[in-house]
C-alpha cells in the first residue's frame, strides 16, 4: 500500500483505513484533510464525534487511550495507525504522575492495541533528538515513546520535527504572542541554541507520504528547513515579519526555568504546555537526516517567506477562534486541540523490575508487601486472584479488587475496583489497578485509573490520596532495592 501525499487510490481499489490518534489537534486536523482524498480516515477522541458529510474524518471513535480495551476497539480494521499524542494535559481530576510516565502508558497501550488489531504500520510524530545523552525530560520522553511504540511487532515509522509553524500551533502561537506583546526582547543565553523549525504543510506532507509506504517501515527521519536558526534569529525574523521593532537585551543569567514563568505570564499559555517546551530550549534541535523530505520531494519555500505566511495564517486563525467563541458565549479555548479529562483519579508510579520477574510476580509481591509495610493497619486477603484490603474491627473491606483473568497476560495484571468502603462504584465501573511491564520488560508501572473515591474530594485529597502516594513511593524504593540486589 504505497501512496504519498498527492496520490489517490486507484479507481475500484479498497481505500486504506488510517486511524489518527490526536485527530482533534493542530497536526491531526491538517493530516486528516491531506489523507481524506485517498484513505478512509478514522479519528480518535475521548468523546465520540459525528463527522459532517464530506468532512475529512469519515468516522469518530470514542477512545480513552489510558484504557487498553478502548485502544483495541479503536484500532480495529486499521491498516495504518498514526500517533500524534502527548500527555501535557493531565486528563484527570487528580493526577499523581509525571508526564513521562503518562506518555509511556499511552504509547504502550497503543502499541499493544496495534499489534492485536493487525495494524501494518505505526506512524509517530516525535521531536528532533539532539546528539548525546543530555536530553530535557520532554525530549527524553519523546525518545522513550519511540521505544515503547517499537517494542511490539508492528513496524514503526518515526517522523521527528521541531517547532511547527502554522495556524493554530500552540508553540508557534506562543512565539508570536511573545514578539507582539513584549516592548523589548530579553534574550537569555539559551536563545543562541540552534533549532530547525518546519512548516505544518511539510510535516503533513511527510506524514501522509510515509503512511502505507513500505520504504519507510522501521525508519526515522527529521523534517524541517535545510538550515537551522537560533532562537534569537527566529525571534528577530518574527519581529521583522510582523513589522514591529523590538529592542534586544542580552541576559545571560536567565535560565529556562525562569523563562518559563514569564513566557506563561506574557502569552497566557497553559503551564502544563509551557513547562516541557521551555525546558527543552537549551537542547540543540537542529534537523539532521532529511532523507524523508528528499525521497518525497518536499521542498520548503525560503524561510522568511514561509514564516510570514504562517504568522498571517495564525493571526487569522486566532481571530476566527475568538469570533466563534464570542458567538458561542464561551471563553476562547487554548490552542493545540481539545482538552478533555475524566473526573476520577489517576496515579502512576514507575517501578524497577528485577531480572527474570514479570507482572504476575509484581502484583503478588505488592499484595504480600503491603500488609507488612502497613502492619497492623492493613491486611490483604487474596482469593482466586481477587484482592480485598481490610482493617481490623471493620466488617467491610476498604477496597475490593476483582482480578480480570481474561485481560491479564503475564506482562500485565489487571484488577477492577469493584467495591469497598473507600470506593464509589456508582459513579464509575471503570476504576482499575494494573501492574504492567514496559519497554520490553526493562521497567514496570503500577497504575490506578478512573478511581472514584467515596470520601468528599477535599477530604480524599488530604487523607487517602496522600497515603496512597506515600505507600507507592515506599513500594518504588523496595523495588529499587530488589533490583540492586539482583543485578541483570
Amino acid at each position: 500500500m504505497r501512496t504519498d501525499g498527492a496520490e489517490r487510490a486507484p479507481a475500484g481499489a479498497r481505500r486504506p483505513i488510517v486511524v489518527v490518534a490526536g485527530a482533534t489537534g493542530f497536526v491531526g486536523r491538517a493530516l486528516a484533510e491531506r489523507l481524506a482524498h485517498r484513505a478512509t480516515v478514522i479519528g480518535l477522541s475521548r468523546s465520540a464525534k459525528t463527522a459532517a458529510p464530506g468532512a475529512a474524518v469519515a468516522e469518530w471513535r470514542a477512545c480513552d487511550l489510558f484504557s487498553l480495551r478502548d485502544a483495541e476497539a479503536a484500532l480495529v480494521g486499521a491498516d495504518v495507525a498514526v500517533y500524534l499524542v502527548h500527555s501535557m494535559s493531565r486528563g484527570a481530576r487528580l493526577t499523581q504522575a509525571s508526564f513521562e510516565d503518562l506518555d509511556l502508558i499511552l504509547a504502550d497501550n497503543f502499541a499493544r492495541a496495534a499489534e492485536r488489531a493487525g495494524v501494518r504500520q505505526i506512524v509517530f510524530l516525535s521531536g528532533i533528538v539532539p546528539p548525546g545523552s543530555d536530553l530535557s525530560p520532554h525530549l527524553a520522553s519523546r525518545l522513550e515513546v519511540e521505544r515503547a511504540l517499537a517494542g511490539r511487532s508492528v513496524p514503526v515509522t518515526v517522523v521527528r520535527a521541531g517547532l511547527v509553524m502554522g495556524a493554530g500551533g500552540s508553540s508557534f502561537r506562543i512565539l508570536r504572542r511573545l514578539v507582539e506583546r513584549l516592548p523589548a526582547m530579553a534574550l537569555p543565553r539559551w536563545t543562541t541554541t540552534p533549532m530547525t523549525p518546519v512548516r505544518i504543510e511539510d510535516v503533513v506532507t511527510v506524514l501522509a507520504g510515509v503512511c502505507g509506504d513500505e520504504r519507510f517501515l522501521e525508519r526515522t527521519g527529521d523534517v524541517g528547513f535545510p538550515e537551522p536558526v537560533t532562537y534569537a534569529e527566529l525571534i528577530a525574523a518574527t519581529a521583522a515579519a510582523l513589522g514591529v521593532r523590538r529592542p534586544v537585551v542580552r541576559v545571560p543569567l536567565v535560565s529556562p526555568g525562569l523563562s518559563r514563568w514569564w513566557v506563561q505570564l506574557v502569552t497566557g499559555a497553559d503551564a502544563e504546555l509551557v513547562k516541557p517546551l521551555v525546558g527543552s530550549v537549551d537542547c540543540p534541535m537542529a534537523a539532521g537526516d532529511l532523507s524523508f523530505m528528499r525521497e518525497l520531494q518536499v521542498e520548503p519555500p525560503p524561510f522568511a517567506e514561509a514564516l510570514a505566511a504562517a504568522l498571517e495564517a495564525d493571526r487569522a486563525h486566532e481571530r476566527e477562534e475568538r469570533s466563534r467563541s464570542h458567538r458561542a458565549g464561551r471563553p476562547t479555548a487554548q490552542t493545540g486541540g481539545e482538552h478533555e479529562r475524566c473526573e476520577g483519579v489517576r496515579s502512576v508510579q514507575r517501578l524497577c523490575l528485577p531480572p527474570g520477574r514479570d507482572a504476575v510476580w509484581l502484583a503478588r509481591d505488592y499484595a504480600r508487601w503491603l500488609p507488612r509495610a502497613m502492619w497492623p493497619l492493613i491486611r490483604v486477603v487474596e482469593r482466586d486472584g481477587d484482592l480485598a484490603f481490610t482493617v481490623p474491627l471493620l466488617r467491610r473491606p476498604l477496597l475490593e479488587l476483582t482480578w480480570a483473568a481474561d485481560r491479564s497476560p503475564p506482562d500485565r495484571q489487571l484488577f477492577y475496583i469493584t467495591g469497598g468502603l473507600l470506593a464509589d462504584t456508582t459513579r464509575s465501573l471503570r476504576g482499575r489497578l494494573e501492574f504492567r511491564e514496559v519497554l520490553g520488560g526493562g521497567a514496570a508501572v503500577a497504575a490506578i485509573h478512573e478511581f472514584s473515591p467515596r470520601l468528599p474530594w477535599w477530604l480524599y485529597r488530604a487523607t487517602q490520596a496522600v497515603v496512597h502516594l506515600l505507600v507507592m513511593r515506599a513500594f518504588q524504593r523496595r523495588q529499587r532495592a530488589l533490583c540492586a540486589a539482583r543485578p541483570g
Side-chain angles (χ1 to χ4, degrees):
M1 184 182 64
R2 176 186 166 187
T3 50
D4 60 31
E7 277 186 84
R8 293 180 181 272
R14 185 183 78 86
R15 289 165 63 88
I17 297 175
V18 180
V19 175
V20 180
T24 60
F26 167 49
V27 176
R29 293 191 300 268
L31 179 61
E33 292 176 0
R34 184 64 61 90
L35 288 171
H37 70 278
R38 53 95 164 175
T40 299
V41 180
I42 297 174
L44 305 187
S45 171
R46 281 189 59 115
S47 59
K49 299 177 181 293
T50 302
V57 177
E59 177 188 350
W60 287 99
R61 292 179 179 175
C63 177
D64 174 5
L65 284 175
F66 282 109
S67 164
L68 179 57
R69 188 186 293 273
D70 278 11
E72 289 170 350
L75 295 184
V76 168
D79 297 300
V80 178
V82 181
Y83 192 73
L84 306 174
V85 175
H86 58 72
S87 61
M88 291 181 188
S89 294
R90 294 293 183 162
R93 187 171 182 179
L94 174 64
T95 300
Q96 297 174 325
S98 68
F99 76 86
E100 298 98 322
D101 292 347
L102 296 176
D103 270 334
L104 181 57
I105 284 186
L106 292 170
D108 190 66
N109 272 347
F110 199 78
R112 288 171 184 257
E115 182 177 62
R116 179 161 184 166
V119 172
R120 302 184 204 173
Q121 178 192 27
I122 294 173
V123 176
F124 172 47
L125 179 61
S126 186
I128 292 178
V129 178
S133 58
D134 188 19
L135 302 179
S136 70
H138 175 60
L139 293 178
S141 176
R142 295 288 83 190
L143 193 58
E144 188 173 71
V145 167
E146 292 181 17
R147 292 174 54 204
L149 292 174
R152 314 299 289 194
S153 63
V154 180
V156 177
T157 302
V158 178
V159 177
R160 291 175 174 171
L163 174 69
V164 181
M165 306 187 326
S170 52
S171 301
F172 186 61
R173 184 163 294 179
I174 287 173
L175 169 68
R176 178 175 65 79
R177 287 178 174 176
L178 277 175
V179 176
E180 286 178 334
R181 296 178 181 181
L182 288 175
M185 297 300 298
L187 299 186
R189 183 175 53 209
W190 57 258
T191 58
T192 61
T193 305
M195 51 86 74
T196 302
V198 62
R199 298 191 311 155
I200 180 63
E201 295 87 351
D202 297 335
V203 172
V204 167
T205 298
V206 171
L207 287 172
V210 302
C211 282
D213 192 329
E214 295 182 357
R215 295 177 300 166
F216 299 99
L217 297 181
E218 299 182 341
R219 289 178 58 189
T220 298
D222 297 344
V223 292
F225 288 91
E227 298 296 331
V229 297
T230 65
Y231 285 97
E233 291 169 339
L234 178 61
I235 290 169
T238 300
L242 292 173
V244 297
R245 297 186 64 182
R246 294 291 182 260
V248 172
V249 180
R250 301 283 177 177
V251 283
L253 298 180
V254 177
S255 68
L258 184 58
S259 298
R260 171 168 59 93
W261 296 106
W262 62 260
V263 168
Q264 183 184 344
L265 178 65
V266 172
T267 66
D270 189 278
E272 291 178 350
L273 171 65
V274 173
K275 182 178 179 180
L277 294 177
V278 175
S280 301
V281 292
D282 56 352
C283 296
M285 294 182 64
D289 179 10
L290 297 177
S291 58
F292 284 11
M293 296 184 70
R294 291 193 297 270
E295 292 175 47
L296 293 169
Q297 300 180 354
V298 179
E299 298 181 5
F303 174 68
E305 176 185 327
L307 177 61
L311 289 167
E312 179 55 37
D314 189 55
R315 276 178 155 179
H317 187 268
E318 187 172 40
R319 288 193 296 268
E320 177 60 25
E321 284 181 337
R322 289 174 177 169
S323 176
R324 287 198 304 266
S325 297
H326 179 72
R327 292 194 299 268
R330 63 176 182 271
T332 303
Q334 293 286 341
T335 61
E338 67 178 19
H339 173 72
E340 300 168 287
R341 71 175 191 176
C342 71
E343 288 302 311
V345 176
R346 177 165 290 114
S347 183
V348 182
Q349 287 76 39
R350 190 177 306 212
L351 306 170
C352 182
L353 188 64
R357 303 301 193 184
D358 59 11
V360 176
W361 173 87
L362 186 62
R364 291 174 178 170
D365 186 61
Y366 178 74
R368 291 190 297 265
W369 168 85
L370 182 62
R372 294 198 300 268
M374 298 292 290
W375 186 88
L377 300 177
I378 300 293
R379 298 173 183 173
V380 177
V381 178
E382 183 175 0
R383 181 176 301 167
D384 298 328
D386 299 343
L387 301 175
F389 299 170
T390 67
V391 296
L393 305 180
L394 288 182
R395 299 182 61 181
R396 287 189 60 190
L398 296 179
L399 290 173
E400 296 174 313
L401 308 181
T402 301
W403 180 51
D406 61 330
R407 302 286 299 168
S408 296
D411 65 348
R412 178 177 181 255
Q413 295 293 290
L414 177 65
F415 301 84
Y416 287 107
I417 301 171
T418 52
L421 293 172
L422 297 178
D424 185 356
T425 56
T426 64
R427 295 183 188 177
S428 172
L429 297 176
R430 289 169 57 100
R432 56 200 184 275
L433 166 69
E434 65 170 343
F435 299 88
R436 73 162 75 192
E437 300 174 43
V438 291
L439 301 173
V445 293
I448 288 178
H449 302 282
E450 298 186 65
F451 172 67
S452 294
R454 188 182 296 272
L455 296 175
W457 269 102
W458 66 269
L459 184 57
Y460 170 78
R461 286 174 176 270
T463 56
Q464 187 181 345
V466 174
V467 171
H468 171 75
L469 191 57
L470 292 175
V471 167
M472 294 310 301
R473 286 177 176 170
F475 190 57
Q476 282 180 310
R477 292 192 294 271
R478 167 188 165 77
Q479 294 305 311
R480 284 197 296 267
L482 291 178
C483 286
R486 296 181 49 146

